[in-house]
Amino acid sequence: MRTHARAVVIGGGVGGAAILYWLSRLGWTDVVLVERARVTSGSTFHSAGLVGQLRGSLSLTQMMMNSVDLYRNLKDEVGLETGWHEVGSLRLASSQERMEELTRQAAWAKTFGLPLELISPDEAQGMFPPMTTDGVVGAAYLSTDGYIDPSQLTFALVEGARRRGAEICEDTRVTGIEVSDGQVRRVVTDRGEISTELVVNAGGMFAPEIGRMVQVNVPLIPFAHEYLITRPSGLPLDMPTMRDPSLLVYYRPESGGLIMGGYEREPAPWGLDGIPGDFNGRLLEPDWDRFEPLMTNAVVRTPSLKDAEV
Ligand SMILES: Cc1cc2nc3c(=O)[nH]c(=O)nc-3n(C[C@H](O)[C@H](O)[C@H](O)COP(=O)(O)OP(=O)(O)OC[C@H]3O[C@@H](n4cnc5c(N)ncnc54)[C@H](O)[C@@H]3O)c2cc1C
């Protein structure tokens, strides 16, 4: 492990990997990523991987558009799969208010150069056959959205950075950050120290505990999140992703079946008393009671889910 670096990135999830990649692409090749376990073993490896570009602010939308550009080209650059599927996305409107929101978003999307189209419920169903059109007023379709394999993406990003000179240190836990005169001096790990003047906290849900090493409060609370994967049932592989914000559910195609998840009205915070130090490559126990309201909603939009094997 290097003993000096221009910057040290803590955390080998997709966030840290992307930061390392872009630093190296911008010419910061003397950079080190430190990961306490294996790259992607935090939240990243079980992300559903939906990629939607239209966000609530110009800068976030621009970042997402840049990301999609990168996803299109990264495989050719580093020779590793990223699992990018540019299948498009559907966002349903199940009320007049939602339709107005989509209409506003469509106008807004144009100013970003995003090809967002407003389509009819039947057109949406033509693209996403398992959905019913019951209660659907219209939909927005964005052909350049899609989904990606978060682990493959992370491996490709670190490889792109490594080829430019970055170092990736797995099984290396940051235990302290030395600061003097208001300036970072050194990152202390269980495998040695790296002197540096710049530290990036890309610790995901662990970011608050890394922040505490330098008395910085990172206002972040992890929430448990569940999705299910159905067995293949002959659904088209190239269906767009689909969100029904009124029913709080999202879907994406997965090997002829579906991934379905959603956003709970009363989400469950997790790890408030501290996250176990070895919580890597691990999942939470399924909580079907908590998932039931989302499942009920999902069956309204995609009735075949009622009998699907998961
Ligand atoms: C079930 C689920 C579905 C999701 N679906 C989507 C989706 O469809 N689309 C989407 O955009 N997002 C989705 N997300 C969110 C997405 O997965 C996360 O936002 C993303 O993976 C976070 O990446 P990260 O790099 O910030 O954190 P992480 O992947 O958690 O990486 C942080 C890393 O920091 C390391 N670390 C922590 N402390 C230290 C230390 N002291 N020293 C060294 N290393 C340390 C950890 O080991 C970990 O690997 C989903 C999340 C979940 C849980």
Coordinates of all heavy atoms in Angstrom, one line a residue, residues 10-17 34-51 55 172-175 202-206 209-210 213 223 225-227 243 250 263 279-280, ligand 1:
I10 N -12.4 6.8 0.9 CA -12.7 5.7 1.8 C -14.1 5.1 1.4 O -15.1 5.8 1.3 CB -12.9 6.3 3.2 CG1 -11.6 7.0 3.7 CG2 -13.2 5.1 4.2 CD1 -11.7 7.7 5.0
G11 N -14.1 3.8 1.0 CA -15.3 3.2 0.6 C -15.3 2.7 -0.8 O -15.1 3.5 -1.7
G12 N -15.4 1.4 -1.0 CA -15.4 0.8 -2.3 C -16.8 0.4 -2.8 O -16.9 -0.7 -3.5
G13 N -17.8 1.2 -2.6 CA -19.1 1.0 -3.2 C -19.1 1.8 -4.5 O -18.0 2.3 -5.0
V14 N -20.2 1.8 -5.1 CA -20.3 2.5 -6.5 C -19.9 4.0 -6.3 O -19.4 4.5 -7.2 CB -21.7 2.2 -7.1 CG1 -22.8 3.0 -6.4 CG2 -21.6 2.5 -8.6
G15 N -20.3 4.5 -5.2 CA -19.9 6.0 -5.0 C -18.4 6.2 -5.0 O -17.9 7.0 -5.7
G16 N -17.7 5.5 -4.1 CA -16.3 5.6 -4.0 C -15.6 5.3 -5.3 O -14.6 5.9 -5.8
A17 N -16.1 4.2 -6.0 CA -15.5 3.8 -7.2 C -15.6 4.9 -8.3 O -14.7 5.1 -9.1 CB -16.1 2.5 -7.7
V34 N -9.6 3.0 -0.3 CA -9.5 2.0 0.8 C -10.8 1.4 1.2 O -11.8 2.2 1.4 CB -8.9 2.8 2.1 CG1 -8.7 1.8 3.2 CG2 -7.6 3.5 1.7
E35 N -10.9 0.1 1.1 CA -12.2 -0.6 1.4 C -12.0 -1.6 2.5 O -11.1 -2.4 2.4 CB -12.6 -1.3 0.1 CG -13.7 -2.3 0.2 CD -15.0 -1.8 1.0 OE1 -15.5 -0.8 0.6 OE2 -15.4 -2.5 1.9
R36 N -12.8 -1.6 3.5 CA -12.6 -2.4 4.7 C -12.8 -3.9 4.4 O -12.3 -4.8 5.1 CB -13.4 -2.0 5.8 CG -14.9 -2.2 5.7 CD -15.7 -1.7 6.8 NE -17.0 -2.4 6.9 CZ -17.9 -2.1 7.9 NH1 -17.6 -1.2 8.8 NH2 -19.0 -2.7 7.9
A37 N -13.6 -4.2 3.4 CA -13.9 -5.6 3.0 C -13.6 -5.7 1.5 O -12.5 -5.4 1.1 CB -15.3 -6.0 3.3
R38 N -14.6 -6.2 0.7 CA -14.4 -6.3 -0.7 C -15.1 -5.1 -1.4 O -16.2 -4.7 -0.9 CB -14.9 -7.6 -1.3 CG -14.4 -8.8 -0.5 CD -12.9 -8.9 -0.4 NE -12.3 -9.2 -1.7 CZ -11.0 -9.4 -1.9 NH1 -10.1 -9.3 -0.9 NH2 -10.5 -9.7 -3.1
V39 N -14.6 -4.7 -2.6 CA -15.3 -3.7 -3.4 C -16.8 -4.2 -3.6 O -16.9 -5.4 -3.9 CB -14.5 -3.5 -4.7 CG1 -15.4 -2.9 -5.8 CG2 -13.3 -2.7 -4.4
T40 N -17.7 -3.3 -3.5 CA -19.2 -3.6 -3.7 C -19.9 -4.3 -2.5 O -21.1 -4.5 -2.6 CB -19.6 -4.3 -5.0 OG1 -19.6 -5.7 -4.7 CG2 -18.8 -4.0 -6.2
S41 N -19.2 -4.6 -1.5 CA -19.8 -5.5 -0.4 C -20.7 -4.7 0.6 O -21.2 -5.2 1.5 CB -18.7 -6.3 0.3 OG -17.9 -5.4 1.0
G42 N -20.8 -3.3 0.4 CA -21.7 -2.6 1.2 C -23.1 -2.6 0.7 O -23.6 -3.7 0.6
S43 N -23.7 -1.5 0.5 CA -25.1 -1.5 -0.1 C -25.1 -1.9 -1.6 O -26.1 -2.4 -2.1 CB -25.7 -0.1 0.0 OG -25.9 0.2 1.4
T44 N -24.0 -1.6 -2.2 CA -24.0 -1.6 -3.7 C -24.4 -2.9 -4.3 O -25.1 -3.0 -5.3 CB -22.6 -1.1 -4.2 OG1 -22.4 0.2 -3.8 CG2 -22.5 -1.2 -5.7
F45 N -23.9 -4.0 -3.7 CA -24.1 -5.3 -4.5 C -25.5 -5.7 -4.6 O -25.9 -6.5 -5.4 CB -23.2 -6.4 -3.8 CG -23.8 -7.0 -2.6 CD1 -24.5 -8.2 -2.6 CD2 -23.6 -6.4 -1.3 CE1 -25.0 -8.8 -1.5 CE2 -24.2 -6.9 -0.2 CZ -24.9 -8.1 -0.2
H46 N -26.4 -5.2 -3.7 CA -27.8 -5.6 -3.8 C -28.7 -4.5 -4.3 O -29.9 -4.6 -4.2 CB -28.3 -6.3 -2.6 CG -28.1 -5.5 -1.3 ND1 -27.0 -5.5 -0.6 CD2 -28.9 -4.7 -0.7 CE1 -27.1 -4.7 0.4 NE2 -28.3 -4.2 0.4
S47 N -28.1 -3.4 -4.9 CA -29.0 -2.4 -5.5 C -29.8 -3.0 -6.6 O -29.3 -3.9 -7.4 CB -28.1 -1.3 -6.0 OG -28.8 -0.5 -6.9
A48 N -31.0 -2.5 -6.8 CA -31.8 -3.0 -7.9 C -31.3 -2.4 -9.3 O -31.6 -2.9 -10.3 CB -33.3 -2.6 -7.7
G49 N -30.5 -1.3 -9.2 CA -29.8 -0.9 -10.4 C -30.6 0.0 -11.4 O -30.2 0.2 -12.5
L50 N -31.8 0.5 -10.9 CA -32.6 1.3 -11.9 C -31.8 2.7 -12.0 O -31.4 3.2 -11.0 CB -34.0 1.6 -11.3 CG -35.0 0.5 -11.6 CD1 -34.8 -0.7 -10.7 CD2 -36.4 1.1 -11.4
V51 N -31.8 3.1 -13.3 CA -31.1 4.4 -13.5 C -32.1 5.3 -14.2 O -32.6 5.1 -15.3 CB -29.9 4.2 -14.5 CG1 -29.3 5.5 -14.8 CG2 -28.9 3.3 -13.8
R55 N -34.1 14.3 -12.6 CA -34.0 14.6 -11.1 C -34.6 15.9 -10.8 O -34.9 16.7 -11.7 CB -32.6 14.5 -10.7 CG -31.9 13.2 -10.9 CD -32.3 12.2 -9.9 NE -32.4 10.9 -10.4 CZ -32.5 9.8 -9.7 NH1 -32.5 9.9 -8.4 NH2 -32.6 8.6 -10.2
T172 N -9.0 -3.5 4.0 CA -8.2 -2.4 4.7 C -9.2 -1.5 5.3 O -9.9 -0.8 4.6 CB -7.3 -1.7 3.7 OG1 -6.5 -2.6 2.9 CG2 -6.4 -0.7 4.4
R173 N -9.2 -1.4 6.6 CA -10.2 -0.6 7.3 C -9.6 0.7 7.8 O -8.5 0.6 8.4 CB -10.7 -1.4 8.5 CG -11.8 -0.8 9.3 CD -12.2 -1.6 10.5 NE -12.8 -2.9 10.1 CZ -14.1 -3.1 10.1 NH1 -14.9 -2.2 10.5 NH2 -14.5 -4.3 9.7
V174 N -10.2 1.8 7.5 CA -9.8 3.0 8.0 C -10.2 3.1 9.5 O -11.3 2.9 9.8 CB -10.4 4.2 7.3 CG1 -10.0 5.5 7.9 CG2 -9.8 4.2 5.8
T175 N -9.2 3.4 10.4 CA -9.5 3.4 11.8 C -9.3 4.8 12.4 O -9.8 5.1 13.5 CB -8.5 2.5 12.6 OG1 -7.2 2.8 12.2 CG2 -8.8 1.0 12.2
A202 N -16.6 8.2 1.3 CA -17.6 7.6 0.4 C -18.1 6.3 1.1 O -18.3 5.3 0.5 CB -17.0 7.3 -1.0
G203 N -18.3 6.5 2.4 CA -18.7 5.3 3.2 C -20.1 4.9 3.2 O -20.5 4.0 3.9
G204 N -20.9 5.5 2.3 CA -22.3 5.1 2.2 C -23.0 5.2 3.6 O -22.8 6.2 4.3
M205 N -23.7 4.1 4.0 CA -24.4 4.2 5.3 C -23.4 4.2 6.5 O -23.8 4.5 7.6 CB -25.4 3.0 5.5 CG -24.7 1.7 5.5 SD -25.9 0.4 5.7 CE -25.0 -1.1 5.4
F206 N -22.1 3.9 6.2 CA -21.1 4.0 7.3 C -20.5 5.4 7.4 O -19.6 5.7 8.2 CB -20.0 3.0 7.0 CG -20.5 1.6 6.7 CD1 -20.7 1.2 5.4 CD2 -20.7 0.7 7.8 CE1 -21.1 -0.1 5.1 CE2 -21.2 -0.6 7.5 CZ -21.4 -1.0 6.2
E209 N -20.0 7.2 10.8 CA -19.0 6.8 11.7 C -17.6 7.2 11.2 O -16.7 7.5 12.0 CB -19.1 5.2 12.0 CG -18.8 4.3 10.8 CD -19.0 2.9 11.2 OE1 -20.1 2.5 11.6 OE2 -18.1 2.0 10.9
I210 N -17.4 7.3 9.9 CA -16.2 7.9 9.3 C -16.1 9.4 9.7 O -15.0 9.9 10.1 CB -16.1 7.6 7.8 CG1 -16.0 6.1 7.6 CG2 -14.8 8.3 7.2 CD1 -16.2 5.7 6.1
M213 N -14.8 10.3 13.0 CA -13.3 10.3 13.2 C -12.7 11.6 13.2 O -11.6 11.8 13.8 CB -12.6 9.4 12.1 CG -13.0 7.9 12.2 SD -12.3 7.1 10.8 CE -13.0 5.4 11.0
F223 N -31.9 3.3 5.9 CA -33.2 2.7 5.9 C -33.2 1.4 5.3 O -32.5 1.2 4.3 CB -34.3 3.6 5.2 CG -34.7 4.8 6.0 CD1 -34.0 6.0 6.1 CD2 -35.8 4.7 6.8 CE1 -34.3 7.0 6.8 CE2 -36.2 5.8 7.6 CZ -35.5 7.0 7.6
H225 N -34.5 -1.5 3.0 CA -35.2 -1.5 1.7 C -35.3 -2.9 1.2 O -34.3 -3.6 1.2 CB -34.5 -0.5 0.8 CG -35.2 -0.3 -0.5 ND1 -36.3 0.5 -0.6 CD2 -35.0 -0.8 -1.8 CE1 -36.7 0.5 -1.9 NE2 -36.0 -0.3 -2.6
E226 N -36.5 -3.2 0.7 CA -36.7 -4.6 0.2 C -37.2 -4.6 -1.2 O -37.9 -3.7 -1.6 CB -37.7 -5.4 1.0 CG -37.3 -5.6 2.5 CD -38.4 -6.3 3.2 OE1 -39.4 -5.7 3.5 OE2 -38.2 -7.5 3.5
Y227 N -36.8 -5.6 -2.0 CA -37.4 -5.8 -3.3 C -37.5 -7.3 -3.5 O -36.9 -8.1 -2.8 CB -36.7 -5.2 -4.5 CG -35.3 -5.6 -4.7 CD1 -35.0 -6.8 -5.2 CD2 -34.3 -4.7 -4.5 CE1 -33.7 -7.2 -5.5 CE2 -32.9 -5.1 -4.7 CZ -32.7 -6.3 -5.2 OH -31.4 -6.7 -5.5
R243 N -42.2 2.8 -13.1 CA -42.6 3.3 -11.7 C -44.0 3.8 -11.7 O -44.4 4.4 -12.7 CB -41.7 4.5 -11.3 CG -40.3 4.2 -11.1 CD -39.5 5.5 -10.9 NE -38.0 5.2 -11.1 CZ -37.2 4.9 -10.1 NH1 -37.6 4.7 -8.9 NH2 -35.9 4.6 -10.4
Y250 N -41.9 0.2 -7.9 CA -41.1 0.2 -9.1 C -40.8 -1.2 -9.6 O -40.8 -2.2 -8.8 CB -39.8 1.0 -8.9 CG -38.8 0.4 -7.9 CD1 -38.0 -0.7 -8.2 CD2 -38.7 0.9 -6.6 CE1 -37.1 -1.3 -7.3 CE2 -37.8 0.3 -5.7 CZ -37.0 -0.8 -6.1 OH -36.2 -1.3 -5.2
Y263 N -41.4 2.1 -2.2 CA -41.0 3.1 -1.1 C -42.2 3.1 -0.1 O -43.3 3.5 -0.4 CB -40.7 4.5 -1.7 CG -39.5 4.4 -2.6 CD1 -39.6 4.2 -4.0 CD2 -38.3 4.3 -2.0 CE1 -38.5 4.0 -4.8 CE2 -37.1 4.1 -2.8 CZ -37.3 4.0 -4.2 OH -36.2 3.8 -4.9
F279 N -20.6 -5.9 8.9 CA -21.8 -5.9 8.0 C -21.3 -5.6 6.5 O -21.5 -4.5 6.0 CB -22.8 -4.9 8.4 CG -24.2 -5.3 7.9 CD1 -25.0 -6.2 8.5 CD2 -24.6 -4.7 6.7 CE1 -26.2 -6.6 8.0 CE2 -25.9 -5.0 6.2 CZ -26.7 -6.0 6.8
N280 N -20.8 -6.6 5.9 CA -20.4 -6.5 4.5 C -20.8 -7.8 3.8 O -20.7 -8.9 4.4 CB -18.8 -6.4 4.4 CG -18.4 -5.0 4.7 OD1 -18.0 -4.7 5.8 ND2 -18.4 -4.1 3.7
Ligands
LIG1 C1 -32.3 -3.0 -1.8 C2 -31.7 -1.8 -2.5 C3 -32.1 -1.4 -3.7 C4 -31.6 -0.3 -4.3 N1 -32.0 0.0 -5.6 C5 -31.4 1.1 -6.2 C6 -31.8 1.5 -7.5 O1 -32.6 0.8 -8.2 N2 -31.2 2.6 -8.1 C7 -30.3 3.3 -7.4 O2 -29.8 4.3 -8.0 N3 -30.0 3.0 -6.1 C8 -30.5 2.0 -5.5 N4 -30.2 1.6 -4.2 C9 -29.2 2.5 -3.5 C10 -27.8 2.2 -3.9 O3 -27.6 0.8 -3.7 C11 -26.9 3.0 -3.0 O4 -27.2 4.3 -3.0 C12 -25.4 2.8 -3.4 O5 -25.1 1.4 -3.5 C13 -24.6 3.4 -2.3 O6 -23.2 3.3 -2.7 P1 -22.1 3.8 -1.8 O7 -20.8 3.6 -2.5 O8 -22.5 5.2 -1.3 O9 -22.2 2.9 -0.4 P2 -21.7 1.4 -0.2 O10 -22.0 0.5 -1.4 O11 -22.4 0.9 1.1 O12 -20.2 1.5 0.0 C14 -19.6 2.0 1.2 C15 -18.3 1.2 1.4 O13 -17.6 1.8 2.5 C16 -16.9 0.8 3.1 N5 -16.4 1.3 4.4 C17 -17.2 1.7 5.5 N6 -16.5 2.0 6.5 C18 -15.2 1.9 6.1 C19 -13.9 2.1 6.8 N7 -13.8 2.5 8.0 N8 -12.8 1.8 6.1 C20 -12.8 1.3 4.8 N9 -14.0 1.1 4.1 C21 -15.2 1.4 4.8 C22 -17.9 -0.3 3.2 O14 -17.3 -1.6 3.5 C23 -18.6 -0.2 1.9 O15 -18.2 -1.1 0.9 C24 -30.7 0.5 -3.6 C25 -30.3 0.1 -2.3 C26 -30.8 -1.0 -1.8 C27 -30.3 -1.4 -0.4

